[in-house]
């Protein structure tokens, strides 16, 4: 049993840890390949990369970009399907497009200022989807109020007046959630 230990601070960026982990895995695979070819009775000899906390955190960081995009895709699909059942199709589509644009703007901002995918950005993206749904759905739901010949501005004016309690309820839940998340 041999061990090699190296500690390197990579700062806030997970890319350095991910690249280091890939290099360690590649080195272990190369050594194992050489053992397999050079030492036929040594079949049980294996080099493994082992570090519980560091490998777990780095492995999670490595998966976060795909987790973020899958979460966005599943959330948009779920919101779209739920809203098609509750709203006319064009309003459900407008709601889903609104949610997508909020997430797109958030991801664009992250890219512009250099924020990488990490657990905080993953939580932020997920929360942004929830906030978008909480605020757009009551507005779209109540926008059907009014006479059929009313202009869209008049309908949305009535919708904003009618959805006040729902938005207050959503705001309260948002404040409670943000305070609880702030403690973590």
């Amino acid at each position: 049993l041999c061990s090699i230990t190296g500690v390197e601070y990579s700062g806030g960026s997970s890319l350095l840890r991910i690249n280091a982990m890939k290099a360690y895995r590649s080195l272990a695979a190369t050594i194992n390949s050489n053992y397999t070819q050079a030492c036929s009775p040594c079949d049980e000899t294996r080099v493994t990369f082992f570090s519980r906390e560091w490998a777990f955190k780095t492995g999670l960081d490595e998966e976060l970009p795909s987790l973020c995009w899958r979460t966005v895709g599943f959330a948009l699909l779920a919101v779209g399907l739920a809203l098609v059942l509750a709203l006319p199709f064009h309003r459900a589509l407008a709601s889903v497009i609104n949610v997508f644009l909020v997430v797109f703007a958030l991801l664009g901002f992250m890219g512009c200022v250099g924020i990488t995918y990490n657990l905080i950005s993953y939580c932020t993206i997920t929360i942004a989807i929830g906030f978008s749904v909480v605020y757009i759905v009551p507005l779209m739901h109540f926008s059907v109020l009014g006479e059929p010949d009313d202009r869209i501005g008049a309908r949305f004016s009535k919708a904003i007046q009618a959805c006040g309690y729902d938005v207050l309820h959503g705001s309260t839940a948002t404040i409670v959630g943000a305070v609880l998340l702030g403690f973590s």
Side-chain angles (χ1 to χ4, degrees):
L1 176 64
C2 301
S3 66
I4 300 172
T5 304
V7 177
E8 178 182 333
Y9 176 69
S10 62
S13 175
S14 60
L15 296 177
L16 294 173
R17 285 193 316 273
I18 292 169
N19 290 336
M21 188 170 75
K22 287 179 181 177
Y24 289 142
R25 285 180 180 162
S26 175
L27 178 63
T30 302
I31 293 171
N32 286 333
S33 175
N34 290 340
Y35 275 140
T36 303
Q37 295 170 2
C39 184
S40 59
C42 304
D43 290 339
E44 298 300 317
T45 303
R46 293 288 177 265
V47 175
T48 59
F49 172 67
F50 181 76
S51 174
R52 284 186 182 128
E53 183 179 332
W54 189 79
F56 177 75
K57 182 178 179 184
T58 305
L60 184 60
D61 284 342
E62 190 175 22
E63 291 181 45
L64 275 172
S66 65
L67 282 174
C68 286
W69 285 105
R70 278 199 312 253
T71 299
V72 169
F74 286 140
L76 290 175
L77 181 66
V79 167
L81 291 175
L83 292 181
V84 164
L85 298 174
L87 296 172
F89 181 78
H90 65 284
R91 294 183 196 274
L93 182 62
S95 300
V96 171
I97 289 172
N98 180 52
V99 172
F100 171 75
L101 290 175
V102 168
V103 173
F104 185 71
L106 181 62
L107 289 171
F109 173 77
M110 285 173 46
C112 286
V113 298
I115 298 172
T116 60
Y117 292 99
N118 55 45
L119 287 175
I120 300 297
S121 61
Y122 180 65
C123 288
T124 303
I125 290 168
T126 307
I127 290 170
I129 294 168
F131 289 169
S132 300
V133 171
V134 163
Y135 296 117
I136 192 66
V137 169
L139 186 63
M140 286 296 182
H141 176 73
F142 286 108
S143 69
V144 297
L145 296 177
E147 300 302 319
D149 58 342
D150 282 349
R151 293 180 34 183
I152 193 74
R155 286 186 178 197
F156 274 100
S157 176
K158 291 177 184 177
I160 289 172
Q161 292 171 4
C163 71
Y165 173 76
D166 297 273
V167 171
L168 176 66
H169 192 254
S171 299
T172 306
T174 299
I175 291 169
V176 169
V179 167
L180 293 175
L181 186 62
F183 285 116
S184 66

